[in-house]
Amino acid sequence: MDIKFNKNEDQNKLQLSQLKKRLAQVKLGGGKSRIEKQHAQGKMTARERIAYLLDSDEKSIEIGALVGEGMYKEHGGCPSGGVVIKMGQVKGKQCIVVANDATVKAGAWFPITGKKNLRAQEIAIENRLPIIYLVDSAGVYLPMQDEIFPDKEHFGRIFRNNAVMSSMGITQIAAVMGSCVAGGAYLPIMSDEAMIVDKTGSIFLAGSYLVKAAIGEEVDNETLGGATTHCEISGVTDYKAKNDKDALDKIKNIVDKIGDFDKAGFNRSKSRKPKEKVEDIYGILPGTRKEQYDMHKILNRLVDNSDFEEYKEGYGKTIITGYARIEGWAVGIVANQRKVVKTAKGEMQFGGVIYSDSADKATRFIANCNQKKIPLVFLQDVTGFMVGSKSEQGGIIKDGAKMVNAVSNSVVPKFTIIIGNSYGAGNYAMCGKAYDPRLIVAWPSAELAVMSGNSAAKVLLQIEKASLKKKGETITKAKEDELFTRIKQRYDNQVSPYYATARLWTDAIIDPLDTRKWISMGIEAANHAPIEKPFNMGVLQV
């Protein structure tokens, strides 16, 4: 191994170590003291409940673990958005599990909590997956009610989705394992089956204090909305559970009897490990986003047996396209090539930039995968489309639009891995969040923004200087340097993969070595949802 490989490896493993530290911290939820309080009440934590429910917690993936990080500091923060979401198997059946974390503000819903819950439902709807709700929430976080209550993508959309999923035949099971208050009470009751834990679970539109204030009635919460009330008097819930584990066992028994599903029919054979050493990814991937590397070396460490059948290998070289298998699943891969390449005409093309020929090739390949019913995997390390008079006169906008059209209208499931840069329209063409990937994740090395921090800071600096000059201020070299540094630091923070995942622009930041697992579980989920419409790109300027 050369010195460059060793430096890259050190840098990438350092980033991975930082990721693991952050994940360890958010897994504490509201903190150890609140976990102890939860246990003292005879309740399991959200993560303990999910671990007990799933066949194997190790063979699951967590959606949005770092959601909310760095947000709502004035309100004490909101680790993981106050809700834990995992995709895994229950009695051999793949499910989505959503568990309120009562150690975080009593499980109250912040704006990002609503967005995260909607993401879980979106995954269930797209993939026709059963969804299990483990409810333990105080309802809307009142100090921020205007940002969570009234809009289309706010709290109420959850219940609308409950109704839509029921009409689609998607199984929904809810267990009330703590508080379930006000509007939130509709979620478990709009599920197909609901259960409640005796003495710790409660469901009511208004608690005892509010009832007293509203109508003058004095009643305790257990009488108002406890397990006995709802299982034996109101008939609101279907099962009474003795404790958390009993409720989770009841869920397992229900899931165990769900019938089989119509499969999409994606091709799968026996899984084979890559021939190349997967851990080498740490040394191949540069420590900075400016350096070049050969994406083929990454691909050879991600695909089964390191077998990659490249499509149009000698054409449009700044995008790599081809067929492979990941954990046995057949996939079509669209990846940005990050090294400088030479065309057949002897012209040099910058790595990570999409040229007209690359966009044309990718469009054709995406169409082929749709025709063959092969899921698509996008590996992003893109700085954008090529600019300049030659590119504009060559029709880069038209060719880029064709690629965006193909990605937008693709009917096979898409999965996006952001390896490095994800800038500007390159993010869109390579299936960014706005283009409905079934799952989208980032490596710790990722950066997401309109442009790089350095480029953006230069543009913003010019705007700031012009503004200050209008006010009559003199801009010295020292003042200019200070402004540039301040602007760049602010922008670099927004470019970070942590900033993106905190806002759910990606589903997770993952160890590169977990990439195969995420793609495989994603395709397994997508196989639950048969493709219902043909691929049609509409009107194109060819």
Side-chain angles (χ1 to χ4, degrees), residues 227-288:
T228 299
T229 294
H230 287 311
C231 288
E232 300 176 21
I233 302 173
S234 72
V236 165
T237 50
D238 306 306
Y239 309 92
K240 182 196 284 189
K242 293 178 291 186
N243 51 42
D244 280 8
K245 287 188 176 180
D246 186 37
L248 297 169
D249 286 335
K250 290 181 187 298
I251 293 173
K252 292 181 184 183
N253 290 335
I254 295 170
V255 173
D256 190 40
K257 297 169 181 66
I258 296 174
D260 204 358
F261 55 91
D262 294 330
K263 297 176 177 63
F266 301 123
N267 185 296
R268 191 178 198 184
S269 62
K270 184 180 178 181
S271 175
R272 302 171 71 182
K273 293 182 179 180
K275 282 183 180 177
E276 303 290 345
K277 188 179 177 183
V278 181
E279 291 79 5
D280 284 351
I281 287 174
Y282 299 131
I284 295 167
L285 189 69
T288 71

Side-chain angles (χ1 to χ4, degrees), residues 244-514:
D244 280 8
K245 287 188 176 180
D246 186 37
L248 297 169
D249 286 335
K250 290 181 187 298
I251 293 173
K252 292 181 184 183
N253 290 335
I254 295 170
V255 173
D256 190 40
K257 297 169 181 66
I258 296 174
D260 204 358
F261 55 91
D262 294 330
K263 297 176 177 63
F266 301 123
N267 185 296
R268 191 178 198 184
S269 62
K270 184 180 178 181
S271 175
R272 302 171 71 182
K273 293 182 179 180
K275 282 183 180 177
E276 303 290 345
K277 188 179 177 183
V278 181
E279 291 79 5
D280 284 351
I281 287 174
Y282 299 131
I284 295 167
L285 189 69
T288 71
R289 301 280 50 81
K290 295 178 182 179
E291 295 179 54
Q292 304 288 311
Y293 64 96
D294 188 353
M295 181 64 82
H296 289 98
K297 293 181 179 180
I298 300 290
L299 292 174
N300 288 337
R301 287 155 178 84
L302 290 179
V303 303
D304 288 11
N305 204 41
S306 301
D307 288 335
F308 181 68
E309 186 67 34
E310 190 161 353
Y311 171 82
K312 288 186 177 289
E313 181 180 358
Y315 177 71
K317 292 183 178 181
T318 63
I319 285 183
I320 300 168
T321 52
Y323 302 103
R325 290 188 182 275
I326 293 178
E327 297 282 0
W329 294 103
V331 295
I333 294 177
V334 181
N336 300 113
Q337 174 59 290
R338 282 292 288 140
K339 70 174 185 176
V340 175
V341 297
K342 184 184 292 186
T343 68
K345 297 179 182 179
E347 298 172 333
M348 303 305 293
Q349 292 185 341
F350 297 106
V353 179
I354 302 175
Y355 291 78
S356 285
D357 53 358
S358 303
D360 175 66
K361 177 173 80 170
T363 302
R364 295 186 186 200
F365 181 71
I366 290 166
N368 280 338
C369 288
N370 274 271
Q371 187 179 52
K372 297 180 177 69
K373 203 158 74 171
I374 300 173
L376 285 158
V377 174
F378 293 83
L379 301 179
Q380 286 195 13
D381 194 345
V382 57
T383 52
F385 286 88
M386 190 58 191
V387 297
S389 60
K390 185 176 179 180
S391 292
E392 298 293 0
Q393 291 167 13
I396 186 66
I397 294 176
K398 179 180 66 177
D399 292 317
K402 286 192 297 184
M403 183 176 174
V404 169
N405 191 310
V407 172
S408 302
N409 286 300
S410 180
V411 296
V412 295
K414 299 166 292 192
F415 303 90
T416 302
I417 316 296
I418 304 175
I419 290 177
N421 300 327
S422 181
Y423 296 154
N427 169 281
Y428 301 159
M430 290 294 294
C431 197
K433 183 67 180 291
Y435 292 81
D436 299 320
R438 296 292 177 95
L439 293 171
I440 177 170
V441 297
W443 289 2
S445 48
E447 292 187 355
L448 289 80
V450 171
M451 62 183 74
S452 71
N454 198 56
S455 298
K458 289 178 181 178
V459 174
L460 293 169
L461 176 64
Q462 297 308 312
I463 296 170
E464 182 76 8
K465 284 171 61 179
S467 175
L468 292 172
K469 284 179 179 178
K470 281 184 179 180
K471 295 176 182 178
E473 292 191 32
T474 301
I475 309 299
T476 64
K477 180 65 169 60
K479 176 69 173 177
E480 182 174 326
D481 290 344
E482 187 272 327
L483 280 171
F484 179 82
T485 300
R486 178 161 49 84
I487 292 169
K488 188 174 184 303
Q489 285 177 344
R490 184 178 71 240
Y491 195 88
D492 283 345
N493 178 58
Q494 295 176 359
V495 168
S496 161
Y498 293 96
Y499 190 92
T501 201
R503 288 152 183 79
L504 211 56
W505 300 344
T506 63
D507 291 317
I509 303 174
I510 66 168
D511 183 340
L513 305 192
D514 287 334

Side-chain angles (χ1 to χ4, degrees), residues 104-152:
V104 180
K105 291 287 193 296
W109 287 52
F110 283 69
I112 199 67
T113 315
K115 186 174 183 179
K116 186 172 174 180
N117 275 268
L118 288 169
R119 177 61 177 145
Q121 290 185 321
E122 180 182 38
I123 292 170
I125 290 170
E126 286 180 330
N127 299 294
R128 307 294 194 273
L129 288 180
I131 184 166
I132 298 164
Y133 307 102
L134 307 180
V135 184
D136 193 349
S137 171
V140 167
Y141 183 62
L142 288 177
M144 303 187 74
Q145 64 84 27
D146 61 318
E147 297 182 47
I148 181 61
F149 170 67
D151 210 347
K152 180 179 178 180

Side-chain angles (χ1 to χ4, degrees), residues 19-86:
L19 170 63
K20 289 179 177 178
K21 286 180 181 178
R22 293 193 190 207
L23 288 172
Q25 183 61 40
V26 299
K27 285 178 180 179
L28 293 174
K32 291 181 179 179
S33 63
R34 291 181 183 174
I35 291 173
E36 290 169 1
K37 183 179 178 181
Q38 185 107 337
H39 288 161
Q41 294 171 343
K43 295 161 64 176
M44 303 165 75
T45 65
R47 293 184 180 279
E48 289 167 346
R49 288 166 177 167
I50 294 177
Y52 183 83
L53 182 62
L54 295 178
D55 296 346
S56 170
D57 199 38
E58 290 76 22
K59 293 182 180 178
S60 68
I61 55 177
E62 182 171 353
I63 308 297
L66 293 167
V67 159
E69 187 182 51
M71 300 170 67
Y72 314 121
K73 290 179 181 178
E74 67 276 24
H75 297 279
C78 188
S80 283
V83 62
V84 182
I85 298 170
K86 289 197 176 185

